[in-house]
Amino acid sequence: AKDYYKALLLKNEEGRGVGLSYFRERGFNDRTIQKFELGYALNEWEAFSKHALNKSYSQELLEKTGLVVKKEDGSSYDRFRGRVIFPVHNLSGKVVAFGARMLGKDKNQPKYINSPETEIYHKSQVLYGLYLGKNAIRQHDVCYLVEGYTDVISLHQSEVENVVSSSGTALTEDQIKLIRRFTENVTVLFDGDAAGIKAALRGIDLLLQGGLNVRVVLFPDGEDPDSYSRKVGTTAFVEFLKKNTKDFITFKADLYASEAAGDPVKKAGSIKEIVNSIALIPDPVKRSVYIQETSNLLKISEAVLLTELNKILIQERRKREREKTKSQEEYA
């Protein structure tokens, strides 16, 4: 399927006119298109399935891989039609799924559709870009985390290869374990809009819980990694990442400080928020370092922060014990 979509993008008239011109508009060069094995699906109901059946692939297999959708009346159609195709590789480089982006302005169609869960594709266990980025992640000992396919691809073209995407969904424990195989350091790249930041803060908490060291880069308002890397070029982009990386405490403190300016109740709330995040960190040494950091940053005594932290940790422990007792009673 990957080879089929790839050939259409480069050799078919519709593929070149629609798909290839879209990638060119996004600023992707031939090397990048080749590297990510990008493709195009014709805007026809059964172009792919007919091609596959002619090559002796079974209808059942096409349905099981999610490439073809079976209708209740027994007929079927291609899942991807009239879209550019992003193959999703597993850790060893095999294509296990596809993401496909719509190019028109059809309000009834979702912008992206993805392969469904199958025997070979479990969304929660795959990170887009990890196969191509794992060596760079090891080498630089940091993994940049972005939201979408095009962010990953643009960063590669800007010579930043230690990057992965959770493909628009919340990170899972399995994905965090995957990152930890290559580095303990994650830098989350946020688009410059308030709604996105609030949503992404939840992702940070998950990373902390997974034992990773978390830093954050916030792009200027209205920019994302893809648009900004194209706008300023490789050198300036890499420089921007270096200069604007903050640890998550500083980031959270800045974020809440601007919101809580002059309001003591809000300030107290924001301090609690930060301590809540610190409480998620499994390593007690790291927790204590972050408490010191918060104390210096927010001009609040370490003792007060530690009291708050211990309160949260005790509550958590009691909650776990209650759940354990409950499950033992149910089991008995």
Side-chain angles (χ1 to χ4, degrees):
K2 179 254 295 176
D3 289 341
Y4 168 79
Y5 294 134
K6 223 166 94 173
L8 284 178
L9 180 77
L10 301 172
K11 296 181 180 136
N12 175 281
E13 196 178 329
E14 183 189 325
R16 290 172 66 87
V18 182
L20 197 59
S21 22
Y22 167 76
F23 287 135
R24 291 264 186 275
E25 272 166 38
R26 296 301 299 242
F28 299 162
N29 59 33
D30 290 349
R31 192 167 151 264
T32 299
I33 290 167
Q34 199 58 42
K35 183 180 186 180
F36 284 88
E37 305 198 282
L38 304 176
Y40 179 75
L42 293 176
N43 200 8
E44 292 169 26
W45 286 98
E46 295 177 285
F48 168 73
S49 39
K50 280 179 181 162
H51 175 81
L53 293 169
N54 282 341
K55 291 216 164 229
S56 307
Y57 285 94
S58 77
Q59 179 73 20
E60 188 195 355
L61 186 69
L62 301 180
E63 287 164 12
K64 274 173 86 173
T65 49
L67 292 161
V68 167
V69 183
K70 190 177 184 176
K71 293 204 297 202
E72 280 176 16
D73 65 6
S75 65
S76 64
Y77 59 90
D78 296 348
R79 181 178 298 274
F80 307 117
R81 304 177 312 282
R83 290 171 179 261
V84 285
I85 300 283
F86 300 88
V88 177
H89 302 79
N90 66 10
L91 211 46
S92 60
K94 289 196 170 76
V95 173
V96 289
F98 296 101
R101 187 190 193 282
M102 185 180 73
L103 301 178
K105 287 270 189 286
D106 187 346
K107 289 279 187 290
N108 304 319
Q109 289 285 335
K111 189 169 163 187
Y112 277 96
I113 53 174
N114 301 299
S115 292
E117 295 268 316
T118 63
E119 284 174 40
I120 56 166
Y121 176 56
H122 303 287
K123 198 174 178 176
S124 64
Q125 297 169 6
V126 175
L127 282 164
Y128 183 74
L130 187 57
Y131 165 63
L132 287 168
K134 59 187 180 184
N135 293 339
I137 293 169
R138 257 205 198 105
Q139 189 188 337
H140 296 285
D141 197 19
V142 62
C143 175
Y144 287 116
L145 186 63
V146 294
E147 205 174 301
Y149 302 126
T150 50
D151 291 329
V152 171
I153 297 169
S154 283
L155 261 66
H156 268 259
Q157 204 165 273
S158 294
E159 291 165 37
V160 177
E161 296 188 345
N162 47 328
V163 57
V164 300
S165 157
S166 61
S167 313
T169 55
L171 270 182
T172 64
E173 276 181 43
D174 285 331
Q175 290 171 327
I176 290 167
K177 281 178 190 157
L178 261 183
I179 294 172
R180 277 195 77 162
R181 284 171 60 177
F182 301 97
T183 181
E184 297 219 328
N185 303 305
V186 170
T187 301
V188 188
L189 306 188
F190 286 150
D191 303 356
D193 72 274
I197 297 164
K198 279 285 190 288
L201 285 176
R202 292 192 286 278
I204 288 184
D205 285 349
L206 264 175
L207 290 164
L208 292 170
Q209 219 166 352
L212 293 165
N213 307 316
V214 185
R215 292 182 182 80
V216 179
V217 172
L218 186 60
F219 285 93
D221 211 10
E223 298 282 3
D224 58 36
D226 172 28
S227 66
Y228 199 64
S229 62
R230 283 186 290 149
K231 189 172 174 178
V232 300
T234 298
T235 314
F237 183 76
V238 172
E239 197 52 41
F240 177 84
L241 290 180
K242 271 187 201 150
K243 272 190 182 154
N244 291 275
T245 300
K246 296 176 174 179
D247 72 70
F248 88 96
I249 296 284
T250 314
F251 172 72
K252 239 181 166 179
D254 288 353
L255 188 67
Y256 287 115
S258 55
E259 279 184 1
D263 183 334
V265 177
K266 274 190 177 170
K267 187 176 178 185
S270 63
I271 290 166
K272 282 194 162 134
E273 273 292 328
I274 291 165
V275 178
N276 270 325
S277 287
I278 296 173
L280 297 169
I281 299 169
D283 181 345
V285 176
K286 278 188 199 168
R287 279 203 303 260
S288 118
V289 171
Y290 277 127
I291 286 288
Q292 284 174 348
E293 179 82 3
T294 310
S295 163
N296 296 335
L297 255 176
L298 299 177
K299 310 280 183 285
I300 184 162
S301 97
E302 227 173 286
V304 171
L305 294 173
L306 278 170
T307 307
E308 187 61 33
L309 176 70
N310 288 328
K311 230 173 13 188
I312 296 167
L313 293 173
I314 289 163
Q315 273 172 356
E316 272 305 307
R317 195 167 65 234
R318 282 186 186 146
K319 191 176 145 192
R320 279 199 303 273
E321 281 164 3
R322 274 200 307 273
E323 281 167 3
K324 197 176 169 187
T325 312
K326 195 180 163 190
S327 68
Q328 279 169 347
E329 281 167 2
E330 281 171 5
Y331 188 67

